[in-house]
Amino acid sequence: GAGVSQSPRYKVAKRGQDVALRCDPISGHVSLFWYQQALGQGPEFLTYFQNEAQLDKSGLPSDRFFAERPEGSVSTLKIQRTQQEDSAVYLCASRIRRGIGAFFGQGTRLTVV
Amino acid sequence: AQTVTQSQPEMSVQEAETVTLSCTYDTSESNYYLFWYKQPPSRQMILVIRQEAYKQQNATENRFSVNFQKAAKSFSLKISDSQLGDTAMYFCAFMDTGTASKLTFGTGTRLQVTL
């Protein structure tokens, strides 16, 4: 596609529910990132993929967070047993090469009630 | 770890005027990239301008330019001839040269362009 596509745009989950957030990066972009943006803050790094390999997951806040990119294109961020503190906008970004800057999707706003 | 500081939570500028947004950062690296991103209410982060640390010349993109002071670790954004469509959150970001070359963002500056 022309840009990074994320779905759903909005997700309301009950506390304890599992959620899955999808990211479809720009075709041909090797690198894919997930960021978490709390209200009024800048995005914070969660994890990084190069093709299908998850090379950095140092930003994942707990073992309830899991990301995958099995075929090196679409990625899914899964949050198990959601908690209220997981409420945030989750941004996906892709990049063709280092130094160019990443292209972001419109994000998924997750609200845990 | 790198840190990025934006000390101006909110700024306001009249249409057609010029405004400068401040950003400072802290790093021990010598080679890196700096970016300014714009985030309108649609939430999509839009790349405004980038600067390579090893280049002394300040980057320029149409009405947007930066003042990059490497020794001072300062990276400000100047918007000339401000337009109503420039109203948005602006984030300064640092990109490291590690495995991920991930972005570290500041807390943002909310810019309001008024008539």
Side-chain angles (χ1 to χ4, degrees):
Chain A
V4 178
S5 178
Q6 291 188 247
S7 61
R9 289 291 310 278
Y10 302 91
K11 176 69 178 177
V12 178
K14 291 184 178 179
R15 194 169 56 144
Q17 187 178 356
D18 296 350
V19 299
L21 312 180
R22 176 188 168 102
C23 173
D24 198 341
I26 295 173
S27 178
H29 280 200
V30 169
S31 299
L32 185 146
F33 301 81
W34 284 97
Y35 290 84
Q36 180 189 59
Q37 187 176 20
L39 189 64
Q41 301 296 314
E44 293 194 354
F45 171 79
L46 292 177
T47 188
Y48 163 67
F49 289 87
Q50 183 172 303
N51 295 307
E52 69 278 4
Q54 188 176 20
L55 299 185
D56 188 338
K57 53 182 181 179
S58 62
L60 295 176
S62 77
D63 59 7
R64 296 185 295 104
F65 286 71
F66 172 76
E68 60 183 6
R69 194 186 185 196
E71 297 179 358
S73 55
V74 171
S75 176
T76 303
L77 176 67
K78 298 179 179 178
I79 308 173
Q80 297 177 326
R81 304 181 304 281
T82 52
Q83 303 295 316
Q84 282 193 318
E85 61 263 28
D86 300 336
S87 295
V89 173
Y90 291 85
L91 295 167
C92 177
S94 69
R95 185 181 72 198
I96 193 164
R97 64 179 175 88
R98 185 179 297 183
I100 293 297
F103 292 87
F104 283 79
Q106 290 186 293
T108 295
R109 182 181 295 280
L110 173 65
T111 304
V112 182
V113 298
Chain B
Q2 290 80 18
T3 58
V4 178
T5 301
Q6 293 180 250
S7 58
Q8 305 154 313
E10 295 186 5
M11 296 276 289
S12 181
V13 63
Q14 286 193 321
E15 195 177 24
E17 296 296 306
T18 295
V19 64
T20 298
L21 308 183
S22 301
C23 173
T24 58
Y25 59 94
D26 189 22
T27 184
S28 57
E29 297 189 23
S30 59
N31 192 23
Y32 48 86
Y33 295 87
L34 295 163
F35 302 85
W36 278 97
Y37 278 88
K38 167 185 176 181
Q39 188 177 42
S42 68
R43 296 202 307 261
Q44 186 162 16
M45 300 285 280
I46 301 166
L47 178 62
V48 174
I49 198 165
R50 62 187 280 270
Q51 174 78 43
E52 299 170 67
Y54 64 86
K55 288 189 175 179
Q56 292 187 335
Q57 186 173 7
N58 289 322
T60 299
E61 288 286 344
N62 301 314
R63 299 183 294 108
F64 299 88
S65 61
V66 299
N67 183 4
F68 174 48
Q69 302 289 328
K70 190 173 184 180
K73 297 179 181 175
S74 171
F75 182 61
S76 61
L77 174 70
K78 185 172 81 171
I79 306 174
S80 304
D81 187 25
S82 297
Q83 300 176 359
L84 294 177
D86 296 334
T87 293
M89 283 290 290
Y90 286 81
F91 291 95
C92 177
F94 175 100
M95 189 180 80
D96 62 43
T97 55
T99 301
S101 294
K102 58 185 177 289
L103 293 167
T104 300
F105 288 87
T107 52
T109 296
R110 183 176 301 279
L111 177 67
Q112 180 72 47
V113 180
T114 60
L115 292 170

